[in-house]
Amino acid sequence: MAASVEIIRAALADALNEVGVDLEALQIQSAGRREVVRVIVDRDGGIDLDHIAELSRRIAELLDAEPLAEQFAGTYVLEVSSPGTDRPLTEEKHWRRATGRLVEATCADDTVITGRIVGAHDGIVEIVMDDGQARAIPLGELRRGIVQLEFTKQGATPAEVESLDDEFADDDVALEAHGDDDVAIEAHALDDVALDANAADNE
């Protein structure tokens, strides 16, 4: 008997809500004689590894007890994690939990805007655009948002960014020098061939 996703989802959602955690997604897949239970959780303030471990124990206790235990014909493997940065922002809680992050947002009219989220409440998402303009956008006008990866720290000064660029430039120089060494090694190999040829002629 395959486990009922809906029965398990309802039970886990209720139990997690009691401790201020949202059940973002639940997936159950068969893997041979076992079933893999993947649970994605989130909350305001984020989820760290210690919290993941605590939630894993709590969820395992629920799955091992009746009435959920009868949903599994054999053994199961439990995987608990938090959403990755590639999770689309579609609900107000998603936008709120991404406060401070750079985001690319697709609006209902298919226009795309980029800015930093400064808040989300009462159906409004507040974003500071690249040009510094602050906008309060109704949630209904946003189709979804994607958090952008940033390779420099927030608030980095131009001097810090320039310093980082210099470091990359130094790395490029080092790679080029390594390339010259390879050329030198090849030239040395050719010299060895020439020496071998001369030795053969002398014989």
Side-chain angles (χ1 to χ4, degrees), residues 127-174:
I127 299 177
V128 174
M129 313 300 291
D130 287 341
D131 60 4
Q133 177 187 4
R135 292 183 58 182
I137 306 174
L139 187 61
E141 295 182 10
L142 293 169
R143 183 167 297 166
R144 70 173 194 168
I146 298 295
V147 172
Q148 304 298 292
L149 295 179
E150 299 182 81
F151 296 99
T152 57
K153 66 181 182 180
Q154 296 181 19
T157 65
E160 290 173 324
V161 174
E162 183 177 355
S163 175
L164 186 61
D165 290 339
D166 289 342
E167 290 180 15
F168 283 120
D170 291 341
D171 290 340
D172 292 339
V173 171

Side-chain angles (χ1 to χ4, degrees), residues 113-134:
I113 60 175
T114 302
R116 195 171 301 281
I117 304 171
V118 295
H121 54 86
D122 301 325
I124 298 294
V125 177
E126 299 172 348
I127 299 177
V128 174
M129 313 300 291
D130 287 341
D131 60 4
Q133 177 187 4

Side-chain angles (χ1 to χ4, degrees), residues 53-119:
E54 176 188 339
L55 291 173
S56 296
R57 288 191 293 269
R58 180 182 292 269
I59 292 171
E61 290 174 357
L62 289 171
L63 296 180
D64 290 341
E66 297 297 342
L68 297 187
E70 66 184 18
Q71 295 297 318
F72 299 97
T75 59
Y76 67 85
V77 176
L78 175 62
E79 299 177 0
V80 179
S81 62
S82 59
T85 56
D86 57 346
R87 188 268 307 272
L89 310 180
T90 56
E91 302 180 36
E92 182 175 309
K93 62 184 179 182
H94 298 162
W95 293 91
R96 182 177 66 249
R97 290 167 182 168
T99 295
R101 303 298 298 271
L102 185 67
V103 66
E104 182 180 89
T106 302
C107 300
D109 60 1
D110 289 331
T111 59
V112 177
I113 60 175
T114 302
R116 195 171 301 281
I117 304 171
V118 295

Side-chain angles (χ1 to χ4, degrees), residues 24-60:
E24 290 289 329
L26 171 66
Q27 183 183 57
I28 301 177
Q29 290 183 323
S30 296
R33 296 182 179 180
R34 300 182 300 178
E35 291 182 282
V36 179
V37 182
R38 295 187 176 93
V39 181
I40 299 179
V41 294
D42 201 7
R43 67 167 182 171
D44 288 351
I47 301 279
D48 59 24
L49 291 178
D50 289 339
H51 204 197
I52 287 291
E54 176 188 339
L55 291 173
S56 296
R57 288 191 293 269
R58 180 182 292 269
I59 292 171

